[in-house]
Amino acid sequence: MTPREHISVAAPATVANLTVGFDCLGLALERPLERLDLKRTDTSGVTIKEIIGAQLPLEPARNVSGVAAQTVLKTLGVQWGVELTIHKAVLPGSGIGSSAASAASAAFGVAALAGADLKPHELLPLALDGEQVASGARHADNVAPALFGGLCLCTPDGRIDHLPAPDWHLTVVHPQTVIKTAQARAVLPSDVLMKDALHQMAQLGHFVHCCHTGDSTEAALALHDVLAEPHRIPLQPHFKEVQAAAMNAGARAGGISGSGPSSYWISFDLGTANAIGQAISTVFLQHGLDHNVHVGRIAERGAHIIEA
Ligand code: HSE
């Protein structure tokens, strides 16, 4: 890659867990996409010029993008610095990987600005330094798909396996409430029953198998969770009504996106995906709850340069 004086990059929103793979599965969405503008500065370190679309700390050490950018600068050992303008399209506390989009765009962006050809396994831990500022944990199930795109299986030792993505249409609905990941992790039990662990293990194995055999229907039907989702449903706004509306409108499967409050629903054609969005919208309107609907496919592309 050629070094540049300034660059604009984007990273996608993501759905973590995908119901069947708590903390180890995640996929990239076509939209929303988060944009980050980066400019080289003569002074070393990171400056955050502006954050558009959300109220977040401008102090680099307390900001996900700031920490990820600083980690990459340090790893590359460069003398110059970087000025960031952050366009928050993936909103904090939404459950569609806000901090991961910030961390991935900053880590990828600084490497691209430097012209450094960092490999995925080199870039991932640097972006995770940023993600950790927001969630307090280093789970890669949002950051990996935000960086690399597609459907990612993240192993505990930091390995990322790209799975063949099922041929799904996705409807993601984001009600305008905030659920902090730390809060949604605090409701989880510290131990699980052997029978639940066995059930989850077999379901995840079946899901991975279906991805490899290209059976998109069976892959959707494998999306069960007995570990996290049952404990988190009480935190989600009107989840049972949303689920009923989505399934009645033709969804084949779905659930909480990440730690919520967004939910994601799977169908096999665009018409049904739009109908699911309308059905959930009706539920939230009845409760007077503002929300955003995103309809799209699994994005093949993760963080990338926006060419002028
Ligand atoms: N796997 C994480 C969790 C994702 O569910 O807590 C957070 O977005």
Side-chain angles (χ1 to χ4, degrees):
M1 284 206 278
T2 323
R4 307 194 190 197
E5 287 306 310
H6 51 83
I7 200 167
S8 292
V9 300
T14 47
V15 174
N17 300 337
L18 215 58
T19 306
V20 74
F22 177 66
D23 270 2
C24 65
L25 269 184
L27 59 77
L29 294 167
E30 282 183 328
R31 59 189 70 84
L33 277 177
E34 182 141 319
R35 177 189 171 124
L36 178 69
D37 301 325
L38 304 98
K39 195 172 118 190
R40 232 182 236 246
T41 57
D42 292 334
T43 47
S44 63
V46 179
T47 326
I48 300 177
K49 184 181 172 199
E50 195 179 0
I51 302 173
I52 299 151
Q55 287 201 321
L56 292 167
L58 283 166
E59 191 189 323
R62 293 177 54 230
N63 181 287
V64 170
S65 310
V67 170
Q70 181 61 48
T71 308
V72 180
L73 286 174
K74 196 170 156 210
T75 302
L76 296 175
V78 295
Q79 298 306 310
W80 45 269
V82 64
E83 180 191 86
L84 307 178
T85 302
I86 303 165
H87 305 256
K88 281 302 299 171
V90 187
L91 297 178
S94 58
I96 48 173
S98 174
S99 50
S102 293
S105 55
F108 174 84
V110 174
L113 196 66
D117 196 12
L118 291 179
K119 300 282 173 281
H121 69 273
E122 296 170 310
L123 209 46
L124 183 72
L126 307 180
L128 280 175
D129 280 0
E131 166 80 329
Q132 194 168 11
V133 174
S135 74
R138 288 181 77 80
H139 48 84
D141 49 349
N142 286 113
V143 174
L147 268 175
F148 312 126
L151 172 59
C152 298
L153 177 70
C154 316
T155 66
D157 59 359
R159 192 188 150 105
I160 305 299
D161 294 323
H162 256 113
L163 299 179
D167 189 15
W168 292 339
H169 288 259
L170 296 160
T171 308
V172 173
V173 185
H174 170 209
Q176 305 290 297
T177 53
V178 169
I179 295 178
K180 293 226 162 86
T181 299
Q183 175 196 359
R185 291 179 88 80
V187 300
L188 301 179
S190 51
D191 298 304
V192 298
L193 293 173
M194 178 64 89
K195 75 173 173 55
D196 290 340
L198 294 178
H199 176 92
Q200 204 60 51
M201 203 167 67
Q203 283 300 125
L204 179 58
H206 182 52
F207 172 78
V208 172
H209 172 75
C210 294
C211 289
H212 283 287
T213 57
D215 191 338
S216 300
T217 306
E218 264 302 309
L221 298 178
L223 302 182
H224 288 168
D225 177 25
V226 294
L227 300 184
E229 195 160 285
H231 302 284
R232 286 176 163 180
I233 283 175
L235 300 178
Q236 313 299 317
H238 316 293
F239 185 79
K240 289 290 178 191
E241 279 179 70
V242 166
Q243 185 179 45
M247 299 310 272
N248 287 337
R252 302 299 289 268
I256 302 170
S257 173
S259 54
S262 292
S263 61
Y264 76 99
W265 304 97
I266 292 165
S267 56
F268 297 121
D269 64 87
L270 181 59
T272 307
N274 284 327
I276 294 166
Q278 276 168 11
I280 298 175
S281 210
T282 303
V283 172
F284 284 138
L285 287 173
Q286 279 164 358
H287 289 284
L289 191 52
D290 281 345
H291 55 279
N292 296 320
V293 179
H294 306 287
V295 172
R297 313 277 276 178
I298 300 173
E300 279 176 28
R301 205 162 57 150
H304 56 274
I305 296 170
I306 305 172
E307 297 295 352

